[in-house]
Amino acid sequence: MNNHIDFSKPRYCNAGIKWFVIKNNNIYPCHPIENHLQTLYDLENEKLKIRENTLCSINCNGGCEIGQCPMSNTDPNIVSNNKEITIVIYTSNYCPQDCPFCFHITTEKKKSWEIYIPGLLLLFKQLNELYQNHKYRILFTGGEPLLDNNFENILKLTLSNLNVSHIRLYTSLPQNSKIKKIIEQYPIKNKLYISISCHPGGKIFNLYKFIEGIDYLKNNNVKLNVHMVDHPINEPFSQGLRELFDKMNIEFYIAKNMKSDNYTKNNENIIYNSLYPFDFTKL
């Protein structure tokens, strides 16, 4: 809870002016979990429609990755002087973890969307024309970004077309070989921050490979944190994981999932693999 934010007063939001979310070839002014949000851009058909500073109807207590929700303010006339644009890119909705609390329910690649590259390049061109001398924060999420076949191409195009100051990657697979390739082939390590989702209930979760991946990142001085969603299926592992990552001197926190009750897959049987239960303290 961000207690210093005064939610008793109407808050106005600049998202859609300097904050864009690309999901399923549409661009939104904020996270499109909230169905009422307007579409600012269709990658395949339309031009970018920058929206005016508007009243924010979502009392989200600061949101998730947004943290303090820097795009909102109690002053309806406020326009951010920050020379930085944030672009959140949902590379796909495919994730084989299939966690019971996740609002993404697609586990089949054939149902996954793909970003329309010509439209993405047109968007970059329009943003550069509208926001000259700005830098860009790029956030890759999904689904699982590292399992998207087009991820590396999207990263390459983003780096070559925008003045990128910060890259944040959300993944549950720190052991994936694409991470090593990205770190070794692209000059982004000083810009890169990896936020790692730890999902003990995930269908392909393997603690030992997970730790190996984190060790690689730590040994290569990549900035990272590990988080786990506050959900009953994860509760038995929270204390052991906290002790484990404390020993590794890695930031670990429990993320409150405001949507978990609505999206829990109550009808599915959660099958644990033979590694459970883990003795985290001996790893």
Side-chain angles (χ1 to χ4, degrees):
M1 179 74 71
N2 300 307
N3 293 324
H4 62 284
I5 297 179
D6 184 3
F7 287 104
S8 65
K9 299 178 181 179
R11 298 193 66 80
Y12 295 83
C13 186
N14 287 335
I17 300 174
K18 294 193 174 181
W19 181 283
F20 303 93
V21 179
I22 302 175
K23 186 171 185 180
N24 198 15
N25 286 324
N26 290 318
I27 298 182
Y28 304 90
C30 194
H31 287 283
I33 295 171
E34 310 296 341
N35 294 326
H36 66 275
L37 292 174
Q38 69 181 91
T39 300
L40 298 175
Y41 191 98
D42 182 318
L43 286 185
E44 296 182 278
N45 299 310
E46 298 182 19
K47 293 184 178 180
L48 183 66
K49 297 176 290 188
I50 300 295
R51 79 172 191 175
E52 296 180 357
N53 192 16
T54 57
L55 179 66
C56 181
S57 61
I58 308 173
N59 185 354
C60 60
N61 290 335
C64 47
E65 201 285 327
I66 304 175
Q68 312 303 323
C69 195
M71 305 313 296
S72 67
N73 195 285
T74 54
D75 181 358
N77 299 310
I78 194 72
V79 175
S80 174
N81 291 320
N82 181 21
K83 294 291 185 179
E84 193 170 59
I85 309 295
T86 297
I87 302 178
V88 183
I89 302 177
Y90 284 74
T91 58
S92 84
N93 59 338
Y94 169 69
C95 180
Q97 297 283 15
D98 196 25
C99 297
F101 47 78
C102 187
F103 52 85
H104 293 294
I105 59 175
T106 298
T107 56
E108 298 180 32
K109 289 184 179 180
K110 64 182 180 180
K111 294 182 180 178
S112 180
W113 61 65
E114 291 185 0
I115 291 180
Y116 181 64
I117 297 300
L120 186 66
L121 292 174
L122 180 59
L123 170 69
F124 291 165
K125 180 177 183 294
Q126 292 181 22
L127 288 175
N128 281 326
E129 291 172 350
L130 285 166
Y131 301 110
Q132 298 179 14
N133 302 318
H134 276 60
K135 295 182 178 181
Y136 290 82
R137 293 179 74 243
I138 308 298
L139 284 61
F140 288 104
T141 186
E144 173 51 63
L146 294 175
L147 295 184
D148 178 58
N149 293 331
N150 216 17
F151 170 73
E152 189 178 347
N153 185 39
I154 294 171
L155 173 64
K156 183 178 179 180
L157 291 173
T158 302
L159 292 171
S160 60
N161 286 276
L162 299 177
N163 183 12
V164 177
S165 61
H166 177 91
I167 298 172
R168 182 176 289 255
L169 171 64
Y170 292 91
T171 180
S172 64
L173 300 174
Q175 70 271 25
N176 188 278
S177 59
K178 283 185 184 177
I179 288 185
K180 184 176 181 180
K181 184 178 180 181
I182 289 167
I183 292 172
E184 293 179 352
Q185 293 191 6
Y186 296 91
I188 63 171
K189 193 161 69 171
N190 63 327
K191 304 175 183 179
L192 181 63
Y193 192 99
I194 301 182
S195 187
I196 302 170
S197 302
C198 183
H199 299 318
K203 289 184 176 178
I204 66 168
F205 183 81
N206 183 304
L207 179 65
Y208 303 105
K209 290 183 179 180
F210 188 85
I211 297 302
E212 284 179 2
I214 290 176
D215 274 337
Y216 170 80
L217 295 172
K218 186 176 179 183
N219 292 336
N220 281 272
N221 299 313
V222 176
K223 297 182 287 293
L224 62 93
N225 68 44
V226 179
H227 64 273
M228 186 172 68
V229 171
D230 181 17
H231 186 274
I233 194 173
N234 288 333
E235 188 174 351
F237 312 104
S238 59
Q239 184 58 37
L241 283 168
R242 188 179 297 279
E243 293 174 4
L244 172 62
F245 290 119
D246 280 348
K247 285 184 178 181
M248 297 178 70
N249 196 27
I250 290 174
E251 179 186 357
F252 174 76
Y253 65 93
I254 305 295
K256 184 67 175 177
N257 187 348
M258 302 301 290
K259 296 289 181 180
S260 61
D261 291 339
N262 295 330
Y263 291 94
T264 298
K265 302 167 189 174
N266 292 318
N267 295 325
E268 293 192 8
N269 294 319
I270 306 304
I271 301 174
Y272 295 101
N273 63 38
S274 59
L275 292 176
Y276 286 76
F278 293 120
D279 186 351
F280 297 98
T281 58
K282 291 182 180 179
L283 291 177

